[in-house]
């Protein structure tokens, strides 16, 4: 049974309303030179390749993506920090271009308040922060922008988070962190209905930690917020299957199915069409069981 705790939930994203009563797909467009899976694909000479991004965005939306996640800072392990100006130069032109190209919600993957403000002005409909709005002024700016926010858990920082991740009880600790950040958001004036939470797979987690979070993903639904899961092409697939980067699709699809069955409302993925088919099969199979 798909334990969708956000059944009936919707997310109001700057004029677009997302129906979260069944799991939806968020397509990933990393506008960075070094993101682990599509690094540099959307940049040429360090600048966004707007034609290539336009084509990919249209393709992702026609394949079923309801949200596109655009980020200018690679947050994979060991990633080099990027200046705020570089992040702005990468993402703002892309929002300005894509907002007229598709009716998908455009999500900003950033922790920088200045980038959030600029992206909102350029068409962002969702703020996705891997640091859960902990940077100075991030809470206040997010509240001022009145956009929905995704709060993700990360232990440590991208350049060191995978060296020695350690928890007493990873699920309880991650859940408590997200509950705490959600309370901080509501205290800053962000409506409860505008908050999404995300356990942050591979952000300061070993394979065992990631598998425990996936096994107990339904516990995050108890907090009453829609859950986002980003498992696509991540390192846990390599550790389980031994596959290299170009062959992580089967593992990614299996993880997407499991996350959806365990209550995830938003699946953050690189392979949109394939994941959309997985969700169609899941919903048909669950529908058969229910009826
Ligand atoms: C390691 C490998 C770290 C890949 C990060 C990545 C998430 C995200 C990213 C996630 C939310 C990549 C990702 N992952 N935002 N941004 N949840 N909310 O695809 O799991 O490069 S970055």
């Amino acid at each position: 049974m798909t334990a969708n705790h956000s059944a009936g939930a919707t997310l109001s994203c700057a004029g677009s309303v997302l129906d979260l009563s069944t799991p939806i797909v968020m397509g990933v467009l990393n506008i960075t030179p070094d993101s682990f899976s599509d690094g540099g694909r959307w940049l040429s000479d360090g600048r966004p390749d707007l034609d290539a991004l336009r084509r990919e965005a249209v393709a992702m939306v026609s394949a079923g993506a309801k949200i596109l996640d655009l980020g200018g800072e690679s947050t994979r392990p060991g990633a080099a920090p990027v200046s705020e100006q570089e992040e702005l130069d990468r993402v703002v032109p892309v929002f300005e271009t894509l907002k007229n190209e598709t009716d998908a919600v455009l999500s900003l993957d950033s922790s920088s308040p200045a980038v959030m403000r600029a992206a909102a002005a350029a068409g962002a409909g969702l703020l996705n922060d891997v640091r859960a709005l902990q940077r100075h002024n991030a809470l206040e700016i997010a509240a001022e922008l009145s956009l929905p926010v995704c709060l993700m858990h990360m232990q440590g920082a991208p350049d060191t988070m995978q060296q020695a991740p350690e928890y007493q009880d990873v699920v309880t600790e991650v859940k408590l962190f997200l509950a705490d950040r959600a309370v901080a958001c509501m205290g800053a004036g962000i409506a409860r209905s505008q908050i999404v939470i995300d356990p942050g797979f591979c952000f300061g987690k070993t394979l065992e930690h990631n598998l425990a979070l996936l096994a107990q993903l339904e516990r995050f639904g108890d907090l009453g917020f829609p859950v986002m899961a980003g498992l696509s092409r991540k390192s846990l697939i390599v550790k389980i299957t031994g596959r290299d980067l170009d062959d992580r699709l089967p593992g990614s699809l299996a993880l997407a199915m499991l996350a959806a069955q365990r209550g995830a409302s938003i699946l953050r993925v690189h392979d949109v069409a394939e994941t959309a088919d997985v969700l169609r099969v899941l919903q048909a199979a669950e529908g058969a069981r229910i009826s």
Side-chain angles (χ1 to χ4, degrees), residues 11 143 146-149 182 185-196 225:
L11 208 54
S146 302
L147 291 176
V149 296
C185 284
M186 292 184 279
I190 296 170
R192 180 182 188 81
S193 61
Q194 293 293 80
I195 295 171
V196 175
F225 304 104

Side-chain angles (χ1 to χ4, degrees), residues 120-280:
L126 171 69
L127 301 174
N128 174 28
D129 184 1
V130 299
R131 296 176 181 84
L133 298 177
Q134 293 178 99
R135 280 213 174 134
H136 180 62
N137 259 348
L139 269 181
E140 293 72 15
I141 296 291
E144 179 193 314
L145 295 172
S146 302
L147 291 176
V149 296
C150 179
L151 308 172
M152 195 200 79
H153 174 271
M154 176 189 330
Q155 185 181 76
D159 52 350
T160 56
M161 64 188 178
Q162 289 305 117
Q163 285 167 2
E166 203 170 316
Y167 302 81
Q168 292 303 312
D169 171 350
V170 62
V171 176
T172 300
E173 291 174 55
V174 171
K175 189 174 169 185
L176 280 176
F177 169 85
L178 293 172
D180 178 63
R181 295 310 299 158
V183 166
C185 284
M186 292 184 279
I190 296 170
R192 180 182 188 81
S193 61
Q194 293 293 80
I195 295 171
V196 175
I197 58 174
D198 182 331
F201 291 101
C202 297
F203 281 87
K205 281 93 176 180
T206 63
L207 173 62
E208 290 68 28
H209 296 142
N210 287 314
L211 292 176
L213 288 165
L214 181 59
Q216 299 183 60
L217 195 64
E218 291 183 71
R219 286 180 54 191
F220 291 91
D222 302 344
L223 293 176
F225 304 104
V227 174
M228 182 184 298
L231 289 147
S232 177
R233 300 186 186 174
K234 284 191 176 176
S235 60
L236 71 161
I237 297 165
V238 180
K239 290 170 188 161
I240 297 168
T241 66
R243 300 294 185 195
D244 66 20
L245 187 51
D246 296 338
D247 197 3
R248 297 185 192 177
L249 181 57
S252 298
L253 296 179
L255 291 169
M257 170 80 100
L258 288 165
Q261 284 178 305
R262 295 168 185 178
S265 296
I266 303 173
L267 297 170
R268 182 182 181 279
V269 304
H270 301 81
D271 306 289
V272 171
E274 297 85 345
T275 307
D277 275 357
V278 163
L279 294 181
R280 290 185 185 101

